[in-house]
Amino acid sequence: MAMRTGPARLAFPAALLLLGVGCGQDDPTPAPVRGRVYYQGALVTGGTIVFTPDADKGGRGPLARGDIRPDGSYTLASEGQPGAAPGWHRVTIVSVQAAPDKPIGTAFADVRSLLPRKYAAPDLSGLEGCVKPGEENVIDFHLD
């Protein structure tokens, strides 16, 4: 039986290496994460973004969240500290608008989502982010 050599023999190990490169799940130190959120080309001007470690891709640690500011930007924090655990995360984004006569925070406020519901569920959103250790991560989201 002849053994294969050359590029085909090296392709599989190289592919395995590439799967884990860059997300650094081995370093538990939170890394800074910031970015902007867009929906249909326009900035999302309020809401919440949550990064949940993706255990299916080796992610672990506490979830991180951030408020989406009026300029569409966000900065994540986790357990009261700036940043998020390095590794792969599933991402959820929520943005709601209150009815004019019942502002958010009042009893029985009427709200409507400004984004499709799928973006509010980590298993349905299809959004993910790779937080790299030891560097500032800028992760923008362009939603349809």
Side-chain angles (χ1 to χ4, degrees), residues 23-77:
C23 265
Q25 289 98 314
D26 295 333
D27 183 356
T29 306
V33 180
R34 65 179 175 84
R36 292 188 187 274
V37 181
Y38 300 84
Y39 177 59
Q40 296 181 339
L43 287 166
V44 174
T45 59
T48 302
I49 185 166
V50 178
F51 277 49
T52 304
D54 188 345
D56 292 342
K57 292 187 175 183
R60 59 184 182 274
L63 64 84
R65 70 168 295 281
D67 292 326
I68 301 170
R69 295 182 282 277
D71 66 354
S73 67
Y74 72 90
T75 303
L76 294 181

Side-chain angles (χ1 to χ4, degrees), residues 6 9-10 16 19 47 50 53 56 81 96 122 130-131 135:
R9 183 173 170 200
L10 298 174
L16 286 177
L19 285 175
V50 178
D56 292 342
Q81 300 296 317
V96 297
C130 172
V131 177
E135 63 183 78

